[in-house]
Amino acid sequence: MNNMMKKCILITGASSGFGEACARRFAAAGSDLVLCARRLQRLETLVSSLPSSCRVHVQRLDVTDRKSVEAFVDQLPDDFREIDVLVNNAGLALGLEPAHESNLDDWETMVDTNIKGLMGMTRQILPGMVARRRGHIVNIGSVAGSWPYPGGNAYGASKAFVQQFSRGLRADLLGTPVRVSNIEPGLAETEFSLVRMKGDAQKAGDVYTDTHPLCAEDIAEIVYWVTSLPSHVNVNALEVMPVCQAWNPLAVDRTLGNEV
């Protein structure tokens, strides 16, 4: 029996990438969908391609706007108010400059989206899950939350927050049936790098040259699997990389000599 049939799934950042793929996967399972993103036209195009039997509510939303998030949740139609699964997918990386050359506006945008946006949506949805004694929070983290790399500075730090926040939620929710999972992808080919490179398609494409990266559908299948497990099973965290990716040895600089 499909236990996701008619469950209500809220997905942030649903206009592309992981969010769009998750919407398609849950729609295929017969779930009801609440989809939000900044690009309403992209959401409407997505909805037009979903099965006609799928009930969907879409709305333009910027998760960095706390008041808008509050209003969005407060004004959900009656048929979509009881959220069974929240997929906190909205997030981004901006730039790869070293910390001493980074744009502080980029750092603040990552914090506002990846941290504050995730917190705000979670805080709005979680009380209803606790009251109904059912629900699942799925946060889209990153291997960057555990494994730093040059230029990852604020982005990696924001995903480390997501990792620890997810653990904190699990601790707070002990004694309730509400589940929390942090999904941590590695190299994945979506619009992620295009956004990070601020529209430079050549630089974004170079990230994936001669690799076989994860795709959005891979992550959507993982999110679906985690949420469709029996209700007594909680996947705390799931780190996933393509086979072509692994950890490097610790970096050692041999140019400083006796300077340090």
Side-chain angles (χ1 to χ4, degrees), residues 234-256:
N234 191 94
V235 175
N236 298 326
L238 195 158
E239 181 182 282
V240 53
M241 294 180 182
V243 173
C244 66
Q245 184 181 33
W247 306 274
N248 281 326
L250 290 176
V252 176
D253 181 88
R254 302 184 188 280
T255 66
L256 292 178

Side-chain angles (χ1 to χ4, degrees), residues 72 183 206:
F72 165 74
I183 309 303
D206 289 345

Side-chain angles (χ1 to χ4, degrees), residues 57-102:
H57 173 70
V58 300
Q59 186 169 324
R60 184 189 182 280
L61 181 67
D62 181 350
V63 297
T64 68
D65 185 334
R66 178 176 169 180
K67 295 297 183 183
S68 293
V69 171
E70 293 172 357
F72 165 74
V73 175
D74 288 343
Q75 296 167 16
L76 283 173
D78 289 343
D79 289 345
F80 296 92
R81 294 192 67 82
E82 295 190 1
I83 304 300
D84 294 295
V85 177
L86 167 61
V87 182
N88 276 316
N89 169 72
L92 78 169
L94 292 172
L96 269 173
E97 296 82 9
H100 56 286
E101 297 175 3
S102 292

Side-chain angles (χ1 to χ4, degrees), residues 170 177 179 229-235:
R170 281 284 294 131
R179 301 188 288 179
L229 289 169
S231 60
H232 71 288
V233 178
N234 191 94
V235 175

